[in-house]
Amino acid sequence: MDKNMQGKIVKGISGFYYVHVAGSGIYECKAKGIFRNQKIKPLVGDNVTIAVLDEEQMLGNIEEILPRENALIRPAVANIDQALVIFALENPTPNLTLLDRFLVMMEQQNVPTAICFNKRDLAGEDYTDHLRSVYENCGYRVFTVSAAKEQGMQEVEAYLKGKTTVVGPSGVGKSSVMNILFPKAQMETGEISKKLKKGKHTTRHSQMIPIDHETYLCDTPGFSSLYTTDMEKEELKNFFPEFHPYEGKCRFLGCIHGKEPGCAVKEALEQGNISKERFENYTMFYEELKEQEKRRY
């Protein structure tokens, strides 16, 4: 007789879903046809009920997708509590444009986000303090750590504990931070890869890494080339939290903080209350959206 269990989808590839059941391991499952008929696609991060078909081979069917807390469009994952974006301070120096793209994307989807700057042992103190103050002034929580010297890691671990966290982007020292915090995560990743039998897929799809039964990290490889696309250019200003205190204080209603006279955001910029780098990125993203709009019509 089928045995029902509850778990979380940690990876999905070509119609197969890998479901982590706390205390039991990872089951390879197919989704019932009913989901297709209802046009429901199971997502990484979904909490599901599975019917176990073969206990030894750890095979099952997804019977039910439990109600979602939220579902992100990019990456396509469900039930995310928060995000952590990791950048090195040195070697390589951080790509602040990519960082700001990530932050805009998370703001757009209402995901609370913290920033972790690694390699603080290599970076100048002035530069580290400058970056910390830029992003703390925007309302973000900022961790400065050294994975190599294991400094500042406990705070990051406490932030991740008991939550499901999207972690990005790839290729900037993310794995060195994660490996020190959660050495067991490598084994979990290996277990999923072994089931997939196709290593080449492992870096191209989002996957949840179970740390304990309440802590999951969502590894999303696609964050190395982000573009702000699925929004109107007029909306962009809403996703820069440091602009919020000045909303309604500009001379013109609907001011987009560009060339309009009497712009409160531009005044704050001149007074040093808004970061010049962040404002330049805002202007660049706005122009990108404007260009896309032209191509659409």
Side-chain angles (χ1 to χ4, degrees):
M1 198 176 82
D2 289 352
K3 182 169 87 169
N4 277 19
M5 290 177 141
Q6 199 172 310
K8 187 185 280 287
I9 297 177
V10 292
K11 199 170 182 84
I13 280 187
S14 310
F16 288 94
Y17 297 93
Y18 298 85
V19 177
H20 177 254
V21 175
S24 296
I26 290 162
Y27 287 78
E28 182 177 280
C29 299
K30 293 282 269 182
K32 289 176 80 171
I34 186 167
F35 300 124
R36 227 177 9 260
N37 301 341
Q38 295 171 349
K39 295 191 166 48
I40 298 169
K41 187 176 163 51
L43 294 176
V44 167
D46 269 332
N47 296 312
V48 295
T49 305
I50 66 168
V52 177
L53 303 178
D54 185 326
E55 190 63 78
E56 204 177 308
Q57 296 290 312
M58 296 187 79
L59 302 174
N61 272 339
I62 294 175
E63 297 281 301
E64 185 189 1
I65 296 172
L66 301 175
R68 291 170 178 159
E69 293 289 320
N70 57 25
L72 305 194
I73 299 160
R74 287 183 307 152
V77 289
N79 301 314
I80 294 297
D81 296 313
Q82 58 186 18
L84 179 71
V85 55
I86 302 174
F87 277 88
L89 283 162
E90 266 300 328
N91 195 19
T93 49
N95 178 340
L96 298 180
T97 304
L98 182 58
L99 171 56
D100 287 343
R101 285 189 197 284
F102 185 98
L103 294 174
V104 164
M105 202 170 91
M106 292 296 114
E107 287 288 337
Q108 188 189 9
Q109 300 180 96
N110 286 319
V111 178
T113 304
I115 301 162
C116 175
F117 288 118
N118 186 22
K119 302 188 183 177
R120 76 177 189 200
D121 51 312
L122 302 181
E125 216 168 288
D126 289 351
Y127 182 59
T128 304
D129 290 346
H130 167 68
L131 279 190
R132 178 189 277 280
S133 76
V134 163
Y135 287 98
E136 283 183 342
N137 287 345
C138 301
Y140 293 107
R141 185 158 179 198
V142 179
F143 303 104
T144 55
V145 306
S146 166
K149 298 199 178 246
E150 299 197 22
Q151 293 167 344
M153 304 299 274
Q154 283 170 317
E155 284 176 67
V156 182
E157 188 174 5
Y159 174 77
L160 298 170
K161 192 85 181 143
K163 305 272 190 188
T164 297
T165 308
V166 167
V167 185
S170 302
V172 283
K174 176 173 74 175
S175 51
S176 56
V177 172
M178 289 299 129
N179 290 349
I180 282 178
L181 285 175
F182 304 113
K184 238 180 74 188
Q186 286 307 304
M187 294 185 328
E188 295 286 3
T189 312
E191 189 189 337
I192 297 167
S193 301
K194 206 161 61 194
K195 276 206 177 339
L196 290 169
K197 303 181 189 75
K198 284 184 183 171
K200 64 179 181 183
H201 282 307
T202 52
T203 53
R204 292 189 203 156
H205 295 73
S206 295
Q207 89 176 38
M208 291 274 176
I209 300 166
I211 304 303
D212 58 43
H213 75 288
E214 289 181 333
T215 308
Y216 287 85
L217 303 181
C218 182
D219 190 14
T220 49
F223 281 146
S224 51
S225 57
L226 281 181
Y227 286 90
T228 29
T229 49
D230 44 1
M231 69 178 78
E232 298 301 319
K233 63 185 189 304
E234 292 78 13
E235 290 179 278
L236 179 65
K237 62 182 183 181
N238 303 333
F239 309 128
F240 278 74
E242 65 269 42
F243 294 179
H244 296 175
Y246 307 102
E247 277 308 312
K249 294 182 179 172
C250 298
R251 188 187 304 172
F252 295 105
L253 199 65
C255 178
I256 52 113
H257 318 316
K259 296 191 170 71
E260 304 96 328
C263 169
V265 167
K266 294 286 279 292
E267 282 166 22
L269 176 69
E270 279 155 27
Q271 288 159 10
N273 297 327
I274 282 177
S275 141
K276 186 168 170 283
E277 299 104 312
R278 286 269 295 170
F279 190 81
E280 281 170 3
N281 280 337
Y282 165 75
T283 307
M284 186 208 300
F285 301 164
Y286 185 86
E287 289 304 317
E288 278 176 16
L289 291 168
K290 199 163 140 187
E291 276 306 305
Q292 283 163 18
E293 205 172 273
K294 271 188 207 158
R295 287 199 293 272
R296 270 204 314 263
Y297 298 112

